[in-house]
Amino acid sequence: MNEEIFIEKMMDILDAEEEITMDTQLDDVEEWDSLSVVSYVAMANTACGKKIEPKTVREAETIRDLYELLQ
């Protein structure tokens, strides 16, 4: 998955009103909550075939960190 598609998927997960970038800090995104973490894990498992633990996701600081978990 390239960065552009990943950003689109994250915009859907976050239902964010503001544009996000790869360098967006997750702490700055009001919509980043436990439901978003679960949605991200589900997306990773289905779209990318990756088994990612929620604990690992919660350690991410930026959108780029989340993207790198999928690589």
Side-chain angles (χ1 to χ4, degrees):
M1 171 180 328
N2 67 34
E3 290 182 7
E4 184 178 324
I5 292 171
F6 179 73
I7 291 285
E8 289 174 15
K9 289 187 179 291
M10 288 305 298
M11 290 289 293
D12 288 341
I13 287 172
L14 296 171
D15 196 25
E17 304 214 356
E18 294 182 27
E19 193 68 29
I20 61 172
T21 68
M22 294 300 278
D23 297 319
T24 298
Q25 294 288 319
L26 293 169
D27 287 343
D28 295 340
V29 180
E30 184 177 328
E31 296 86 354
W32 182 246
D33 56 16
S34 58
L35 181 58
S36 299
V37 170
V38 170
S39 296
Y40 171 84
V41 169
M43 182 269 300
N45 289 340
T46 58
C48 301
K50 296 279 186 168
K51 177 72 172 143
I52 298 174
E53 296 295 324
K55 179 183 180 223
T56 305
V57 175
R58 285 191 292 272
E59 292 171 355
E61 295 180 6
T62 65
I63 296 293
R64 183 175 311 282
D65 294 340
L66 295 175
Y67 179 74
E68 290 175 359
L69 289 175
L70 301 179
Q71 303 309 305

